[in-house]
Amino acid sequence: EVQLLESGGGLVQPGGSLRLSCAASGFTFSGYAMSWVRQAPGKGLEWVSAINAGGSTFYADSVKGRFTISRDNSKNTLYLQVSSLRAEDTAVYYCAKAIIAMGILDYWGQGTLVTVSS
Amino acid sequence: EIVLTQSPATLSLSPGERATLSCRASQSVSIYLAWYQQKPGQAPRLLIYDASNRATGIPARFSGSGSGTDFTLTISSLEPEDFAVYYCQQRSNWPYTFGQGTKLEIK
């Protein structure tokens, strides 16, 4: 059974940093693209970042230069380093697994909440 | 960036009725469009990918159609568990984008 478990969220001041983690199990982690998608309170979905099986990375313009996605295949873990945080980064951050193609997300974690506030 | 516009914003129907949700892209996305369902407090669930392919375990009452810029998600006969928010999403060009969502509510 595929499982994705996010952690690392919390309350952080504007300008601060966090590292989000996503522990994956139930599939061959190294063989699949992974993504982070966020959802601000009461709002829609925004694709934040993706990393393919080869390690190539992709970012939304809204987070480019501030967020870094990475993966540790030996630990079956996906990361998102979030820095220079702004109030508008407040959201639930979901980790998701891609189905073959990077842009189709077939399994999602339950999310971790990041709140940026002073 | 490709903008996806969903309509209507809210759809009020009764169980057993047919639901038709629309998604229009600002430029062609070929067939590279997916649909997700999200219930309150839950993560999204993949329903349809590449316009018309049902994801694993998705009931046959869910179907998708379209290509280019106009797409439709149809739920043939609504079950109580189908009332939720539905999002379309394109993977034609990075950044991948979602529509703003259609809320399907019980009439």
Side-chain angles (χ1 to χ4, degrees), chain A residues 43-101:
Chain A
K43 303 297 184 183
L45 301 168
E46 180 187 14
W47 206 307
V48 172
S49 184
I51 183 168
N52 67 17
S56 297
T57 59
F58 304 81
Y59 298 95
D61 286 346
S62 59
V63 306
K64 199 173 294 182
R66 300 187 300 122
F67 290 12
T68 302
I69 191 171
S70 62
R71 63 192 301 162
D72 185 336
N73 291 336
S74 68
K75 296 182 178 179
N76 290 345
T77 302
L78 177 72
Y79 301 101
L80 187 68
Q81 178 72 40
V82 298
S83 305
S84 303
L85 284 164
R86 308 165 180 167
E88 55 265 34
D89 295 317
T90 294
V92 173
Y93 285 72
Y94 294 104
C95 159
K97 167 190 168 291
I99 180 175
I100 305 177

Side-chain angles (χ1 to χ4, degrees), chain A residues 3-55:
Chain A
Q3 291 193 343
L4 300 170
L5 184 61
E6 300 98 334
S7 61
L11 175 64
V12 60
Q13 292 188 339
S17 299
L18 286 173
R19 188 175 80 158
L20 309 182
S21 299
C22 172
S25 60
F27 64 103
T28 306
F29 179 74
S30 61
Y32 291 88
M34 300 291 295
S35 287
W36 290 96
V37 175
R38 69 183 179 184
Q39 187 169 35
K43 303 297 184 183
L45 301 168
E46 180 187 14
W47 206 307
V48 172
S49 184
I51 183 168
N52 67 17

Side-chain angles (χ1 to χ4, degrees), chain B residues 15 21-23 28-29 31 34 43 46 48 51-52 59 61 64 69 75 77-79 86 100-101:
Chain B
L21 288 67
S22 295
C23 178
S28 176
V29 298
I31 62 163
L46 176 67
I48 301 287
S52 61
R61 64 180 182 274
T69 61
I75 310 171
S77 179
L78 286 165
E79 298 288 340
Y86 292 83
Q100 83 280 14

